[in-house]
Amino acid sequence: MTKLRIKRPIHDFRTMGIERINLSKHLTPSVAGLTLFAFFAVTAPLPGMAQVPTFSPLAPTTVNNLPPNLPYTLGAGDRVGVTIFDVPEYSGDYQVLVDGTLNLPVAGSIPVEGLTINAASERISQRYAPFVRRPLVTLTLIDARPLKIAVGGEVNRPGSYNVTLNEGQQFPSVTQVVQLAGGISRSADVRNVQIRRRMNSATRQTYTINLWELLQNSDLAQDVTLRDGDEILIPTTTGIDPLESRQLATASFSPEAVKPIKVAVVGEVVRPGPYTVTAATSGAATADQAGGGGGNNTEPPTVTQAIQVAGGITQSADIRNVEVRRTTRDGSEQLIVVNLWELLQEGDLSEDVILQQGDTIRVPEAETLTASEATKLASASFSAAIINVNVVGEVEKPGTVSIPANAPLNQALLASGGFDNRRARKSSVELIRLQPNGTVKKREIEVDFTADVNDESNPPLRPNDVIIVRRSGLTRVTDTLGTIVSPIGSVFSVFRFFGF
């Protein structure tokens, strides 16, 4: 078995700023010997401990290296105050020119770009040394130049931004600049936000911050103060957590105003197609097909709202596997599977995924759907509100009737006025349904007005179903006799007309 050796660090007292002490000068030989023995006894590796394996802590899933809080460096556009003690004629306010220099009286052009305030003060003092005895220069920043900062990745308006500092010279933070860029998109990975900072003309350093820590633990250190020339990159997340997505939607660096978004809704909905969806503050949704829509709203649109504006789901929809397809900033496609059944059963709002511009929602067809599930779907807010079915034959008001989605057969019969008590066959009816593949299915259904919704005697209906109520046996005989007798009656009527 391989033995693990534990190596103890060798401390260099010179590097630690501690003066090395010569013990032999201060201890007697016997005491020095005992001291050295004790030292080696402590520092020698222990055989028992060498057999114990050591485990390093698990590596964090997110690299987090915050940039150091470096002092401000001067650049073109800065306005500074130069005060030379006891030499007011050389003092005054000056601006750093486009070439990064200060043009000062007598001293001339002095390069200060990239220097801190203190370093620039020392350089100016050196340049005035030939003209002023022991020059004492004080340099102050009066007006900082506008900062040019680039924002890319998963933000709504990527690009470069010029940020003008306020009167208190407060430099902007990461979240403030992300707000300027329209806020994060729904695919943003806020745990690995990158900041690229120019250290000098030749090198740049990349830092990673975790804005999720800012949201969850109020860690202000993650909201880094930016400098001129900083570049912010918000990467695309590898997986979307619907619950986190809802939390991020309320963050200060999310889009402030919720605007209408254009999405496509396809599959088992009443009116598939492109829609512009607007989520109102009350939670209701409005839309214009293939355009339009507007208003200032505070809640972003969700999957169920998009399905609502597409007319709702059909009776054969599989709401357990609704798909949201999303194209990210880097051109890749994300697939989010939504289980709206959990939303209905458990009230899990995290399943009602927040949408963004360009999303495609696909509602697949269910392989099997029980009558009880169909009834629950009918009461959902994202189901079709009303469907039309046809009731023909021996009912009081034959024709098209409008009923709630997934309403059962008995309800359609009652909506048509019920059976014609004199002519209808009340024991059974015929249900004709057009299948999605274009075929027609016929079923003979035993009627039971006391039955709950079930597939056998009281099935839920679909749009354009046809219910045929046949004549009773007595009615058929009577109608047949009437047809036979009718011509004879016509002959007797003719005889009566001519007086026979």
Side-chain angles (χ1 to χ4, degrees), residues 388-403 408-419 429-431 461 464-469:
N388 293 324
V389 298
N390 297 294
V391 184
V392 297
E394 305 304 330
V395 291
E396 294 292 336
K397 295 180 291 184
T400 302
V401 294
S402 296
I403 57 176
L409 179 139
N410 287 347
Q411 187 169 344
L413 290 174
L414 294 174
S416 64
F419 291 128
V429 297
E430 190 173 12
L431 176 63
L461 300 178
N464 302 316
D465 278 352
V466 178
I467 303 170
I468 301 176
V469 180

Side-chain angles (χ1 to χ4, degrees), residues 231-408:
E231 300 170 354
I232 304 171
L233 176 64
I234 300 183
T236 302
T237 183
T238 55
I240 294 179
D241 185 330
L243 183 59
E244 287 188 8
S245 181
R246 283 189 166 272
Q247 292 177 288
L248 287 174
T250 61
S252 63
F253 46 87
S254 286
E256 292 184 356
V258 178
K259 298 180 180 180
I261 62 172
K262 189 170 183 178
V263 299
V265 188
V266 298
E268 294 299 323
V269 291
V270 175
R271 297 186 303 274
Y275 288 88
T276 299
V277 185
T278 301
T281 54
S282 61
T286 61
D288 296 325
Q289 187 165 11
N296 294 323
N297 305 283
T298 58
E299 296 180 359
T302 62
V303 169
T304 58
Q305 291 166 348
I307 292 175
Q308 278 180 318
V309 300
I313 58 174
T314 67
Q315 281 69 29
S316 57
D318 179 8
I319 66 169
R320 289 181 172 87
N321 294 286
V322 178
E323 296 178 354
V324 178
R325 296 186 179 274
R326 177 171 297 166
T327 302
T328 63
R329 290 288 181 185
D330 60 10
S332 62
E333 185 182 75
Q334 291 178 331
L335 175 62
I336 310 167
V337 179
V338 179
N339 188 348
L340 294 181
W341 187 255
E342 288 295 320
L343 174 63
L344 292 183
Q345 295 295 97
E346 307 295 336
D348 187 359
L349 282 174
S350 66
E351 294 294 338
D352 196 9
V353 170
I354 295 174
L355 300 176
Q356 75 174 19
Q357 179 79 9
D359 282 352
T360 297
I361 301 99
R362 178 181 172 272
V363 182
E365 182 182 2
E367 295 182 0
T368 58
L369 190 66
T370 65
S372 60
E373 288 178 340
T375 303
K376 292 179 181 178
L377 285 180
S379 60
S381 63
F382 48 87
S383 288
I386 299 295
I387 63 173
N388 293 324
V389 298
N390 297 294
V391 184
V392 297
E394 305 304 330
V395 291
E396 294 292 336
K397 295 180 291 184
T400 302
V401 294
S402 296
I403 57 176
N406 281 328

Side-chain angles (χ1 to χ4, degrees), residues 9 26 37 42 48 51 62 132 141 193 208 224 226 246 251 298 300 325 333 361 370 392 397 421 425 445 463 481:
H26 303 279
F37 175 80
V42 172
Q51 307 296 326
T62 301
V132 178
L141 180 64
V193 178
T208 304
V224 171
L226 299 174
R246 283 189 166 272
T298 58
R325 296 186 179 274
E333 185 182 75
I361 301 99
T370 65
V392 297
K397 295 180 291 184
N421 290 324
R425 183 179 67 185
I445 298 175
L481 290 175

